[in-house]
Amino acid sequence: MKLFSRPAYPVLSGICIGISLSLVCLPYFYLDESCEFILVPSETQLPQMHNIKQKAWPYGNPDDFEPRINLDSKPVRGNVEKGKMIRPRFAASELGIREKLFLGVNARRDTLNTLGVAINRTAAQFVDKLLFFVEAQMEQAPNGLPVVSFKDERNVLQPFHTMKYVADQYLEEYDWFMFIEDNTYIRAEQVVEFVSHVSISQDLYLGRMVDELQSLYCDLRSGIIFSNTALRKMAPQLEWCTKNAFSMDHTDNVGRCVLHTTGLACTPTASGRNFSSFLSHDFVFDRDVARLRANPVFNASLTVHPVNDVRSMYKLHRYFCERDMALAEEEIASIEAEMKVTACLTPQGCSHLPWPISVSEPSQPKNRFDVIRWDYFTPTHMYFPNDHDNMVPLRGADKLDVDDVVGFSERKLEDKYPGRYAFQGLVSGYRRFDPSRGLDYLLDVALDDVQKGSRVHKRIRLVKPLSHMEVVPMPYVTENSRVHIVVPVNDFEMAVLPKFLQVYAETCLERNDNSQLYVVFVYSSAAAPAAPGQEESADEFSALRATIADYEKRFPEGARITTLDLRKAVPSQLDVVEVVAKRMQEQDALLLVASAGVLLETEFLNRVRMQTIRRTQVFLPIAFFQYHPKIIYEKKPYPEAIEISKDVGFFDRHSFDHVAFYLSDYVLARDAYSADVATGHRLQSTASANVTDLCSLFLRTDLHLFRAPDPALKHAWLPRRCNPLLPEAEYHRCLVRRGEGLASRSQLAMLILKQQRANKANDISASSSSLPAA
């Protein structure tokens, strides 16, 4: 039997030859530049080296050998300390998103109060930034006018000082920069639309070219526009421009500067759009407007120069506004006519056309829970406005809204039937708010037919469509503020405070949340806390104090819980806040007044930090109050978590127990309506000022009150005690809350039904037991 087949011999031979050649041709070892080349010993020299340890190593002791690393040809890296990355304040800054247009006006001191104010009123609302630049210091600028003045009074250098200032301060914030003279009227809204359709990736020097042969400059009198990249190239070389400003004409100096620094020539067009400007020798509106109405260049112009009369500037602004409105109405009418024709070509036919045209159709409910309710109202009352009231008086904003709609209907009927009907008033109506559409109205109005001498009723359908969304600017807030939680505790809230402390420890203390708890023990007029020499049992809150002390021992850094005392028969929220304010050193502290039955959550505390804004906004969340557990649950043990459900609880709109505000805002509000009380003392004029709670106090200020249901704010059930000594309005509100907080109407109805059945069964059993035996 053969072990190897014949084809295997060439392979084995090739392997052996390769190994032999690799041993013979072994390369030299290169140790260092100062070392010699050493050849690997041959087979004849191997016997002489059988004991290499007995011979001396020619380079010293091999144990002392240290390798040397050659770093001469490698770059040396510096030790860079890794610091904490600081992110920008806004996402737009991190993404490099800039605002659209900056407008700079080269103004004169003698016309700043007239033409400057006119430009500010007609253009400031459309551009992102507007600044006025004057060549010398001013003692006092007009109110509300942003003015930048330079120490250099040389008028010839003013445009370069302006560009230098803008490049240093606003180069990273805007895409386009426009500069005009103060006697130039600018259609700012149209200019913004113009630059919005031009690419920002190209270097542009836009404007109206000077009326000279082979001119390369833009006329500064008509306004010039620089792209961000073009101004960026000019900024480092503006010093050359100031040294070479030979002419008294700003247009010539600026054009020479642009040509030298960027190599750009003036262009009146960009991205297929034309920069049109109207230039005259002396423009007077009353004299020239009749002649210029039919001039297409004048009507399409973005700037008009010169306008030396402030009245002409205002009249010119009104003329262009009316023209823009007329063009917009013509465009709307054209689009509506086109929509009517197009709607008939669709499979649904002409009947599918929405009313009014261009307004979204009413939302179609997917199930019965998505049906939007119509609110029925009369001239005096509104019926079933919510799930809790059957009828409420029509007043406040609802009354103003209905009166406005009725007045509009009366004017439209008079326009449609002139002299035919005499409007007598509203009979009744329906109103519905559709979030995708707006407010829909159905009005039944009474009219006297003048021709027939009879009274008729007509139904009118109206729509108040939703307008464009507007972003309301708000101050910058973060989630890093410390929340000072103030919890008043009286005798009937003692039972739920241990649960509150447990939740507070889990939510805030264990997670090291930036918060501080103030527990205010409220004593009646007959009771008082234990004196230092008395026994602890004299204090009805002694057990709770011991529990708080226990939490202080559990956490090494302290539980951050402060206990305070308040002795008053009928305390208010203002009294509780005053007690806490005396102990606080920080005037800008964020306070949250809450109830002992609240189950705190981190989400809610973060929302308090974000929605409470100093000197701007007060946060009044509406908590979800649990119903009586014995009614909503069939048997014990009751669940600890509170589920957001109509069978478990409700959002109590009558509750103002939870208020988040800054202490400085409270002090200002208190002092404004209680001038006879100094800071840090109890409010004495509460009754005279009709201020019974924090909401009533802040309603009298200019602060914005943000009130909305908060699903993260849940309140366990507590028996509510209404003190007859409370003010009448507050006492009535307490009775309403006690009735609504027991259970839902359906649950109460089932409870009454069960009780009636039980009573009936007891009566039957009692009557049967009283019958004589047969």
Side-chain angles (χ1 to χ4, degrees), residues 100-101 126-128 187-197:
K100 187 59 63 179
L101 180 63
F126 302 110
V127 299
D128 298 304
R187 298 175 64 184
E189 186 177 11
Q190 300 299 325
V191 173
V192 173
E193 183 182 0
F194 174 82
V195 298
S196 299
H197 291 80

Side-chain angles (χ1 to χ4, degrees), residues 240-434:
W240 181 94
C241 300
T242 58
K243 295 179 180 179
N244 293 271
F246 306 123
S247 176
M248 296 302 296
D249 186 5
H250 293 331
T251 297
D252 185 62
N253 293 331
V254 173
R256 186 185 305 107
C257 176
V258 175
L259 190 61
H260 173 78
T261 56
T262 64
L264 297 175
C266 179
T267 175
T269 60
S271 300
R273 304 179 72 88
N274 184 40
F275 182 91
S276 178
S277 177
F278 182 80
L279 186 64
S280 66
H281 297 288
D282 184 18
F283 177 82
V284 179
F285 181 83
D286 296 333
R287 182 191 64 192
D288 301 332
V289 68
R291 173 175 53 87
L292 297 174
R293 285 183 184 274
N295 190 339
V297 177
F298 175 76
N299 292 328
S301 60
L302 300 178
T303 59
V304 178
H305 180 87
V307 185
N308 297 316
D309 182 16
V310 64
R311 295 178 61 88
S312 295
M313 185 167 289
Y314 285 124
K315 291 180 179 180
L316 193 61
H317 180 68
R318 179 177 179 179
Y319 168 79
F320 280 112
C321 288
E322 292 176 350
R323 178 173 176 78
D324 292 340
M325 291 177 61
L327 293 176
E329 291 176 356
E330 292 178 3
E331 187 177 359
I332 291 173
S334 176
I335 294 174
E336 289 181 352
E338 186 177 353
M339 291 177 63
K340 291 179 181 179
V341 176
T342 307
C344 297
L345 303 177
T346 59
Q348 293 83 2
C350 300
S351 59
H352 186 66
L353 186 66
W355 182 89
I357 298 177
S358 74
V359 177
S360 302
E361 297 183 13
S363 58
Q364 300 297 327
K366 296 181 180 180
N367 50 55
R368 62 188 181 93
F369 299 104
D370 295 336
V371 176
I372 302 177
R373 179 175 59 191
W374 287 87
D375 296 329
Y376 176 76
F377 60 88
T378 63
T380 58
H381 290 80
M382 181 171 288
Y383 296 82
F384 302 103
N386 49 59
D387 296 334
H388 306 283
D389 298 322
N390 296 330
M391 180 179 65
V392 296
L394 187 63
R395 58 190 177 187
D398 294 328
K399 177 66 174 175
L400 296 176
D401 178 61
V402 171
D403 292 343
D404 179 55
V405 172
V406 172
F408 179 81
S409 303
E410 182 180 358
R411 292 190 297 270
K412 285 297 181 180
L413 286 172
E414 182 62 27
D415 295 340
K416 188 174 183 179
Y417 307 101
R420 173 74 183 275
Y421 297 105
F423 191 84
Q424 296 301 319
L426 173 70
V427 178
S428 62
Y430 296 88
R431 183 181 68 178
R432 180 184 69 175
F433 176 69
D434 191 336

Side-chain angles (χ1 to χ4, degrees), residues 435-607:
S436 63
R437 175 180 171 88
L439 280 168
D440 287 285
Y441 296 87
L442 291 176
L443 302 181
D444 293 328
V445 296
L447 305 172
D448 285 343
D449 194 335
V450 178
Q451 297 179 358
K452 297 182 180 180
S454 60
R455 174 163 293 187
V456 296
H457 287 182
K458 282 189 175 294
R459 170 158 289 188
I460 304 173
R461 183 182 178 186
L462 302 96
V463 176
K464 273 188 177 180
L466 293 175
S467 59
H468 292 289
M469 301 295 292
E470 180 182 357
V471 178
V472 179
M474 297 294 287
Y476 180 73
V477 292
T478 64
E479 296 182 354
N480 300 326
S481 304
R482 166 168 287 195
V483 181
H484 300 265
I485 307 172
V486 180
V487 178
V489 181
N490 49 35
D491 53 354
F492 66 92
E493 293 177 335
M494 295 171 53
V496 297
L497 186 61
K499 177 64 177 178
F500 176 86
L501 294 175
Q502 178 185 352
V503 175
Y504 173 75
E506 296 174 354
T507 305
C508 300
L509 300 182
E510 294 179 0
R511 301 178 183 179
N512 199 21
D513 186 80
N514 192 11
S515 60
Q516 173 81 30
L517 177 61
Y518 293 85
V519 179
V520 181
F521 295 114
V522 180
Y523 294 86
S524 63
S525 58
Q534 295 179 352
E535 298 181 358
E536 193 68 25
S537 58
D539 186 4
E540 56 182 325
F541 299 108
S542 58
L544 298 178
R545 295 180 188 274
T547 304
I548 294 175
D550 199 23
Y551 279 102
E552 291 284 353
K553 297 178 182 179
R554 285 176 51 186
F555 295 92
E557 298 180 358
R560 301 193 299 272
I561 303 177
T562 304
T563 58
L564 302 172
D565 298 328
L566 173 62
R567 284 175 283 180
K568 192 174 182 180
V570 187
S572 65
Q573 285 184 328
L574 304 181
D575 298 320
V576 174
V577 175
E578 285 294 331
V579 172
V580 177
K582 293 178 181 178
R583 293 287 300 271
M584 301 189 66
Q585 303 294 333
E586 184 182 357
Q587 288 296 321
D588 291 335
L590 173 58
L591 271 68
L592 169 63
V593 178
S595 173
V598 167
L599 304 179
L600 291 177
E601 295 184 13
T602 305
E603 178 185 355
F604 169 67
L605 294 178
N606 290 334
R607 192 173 292 116

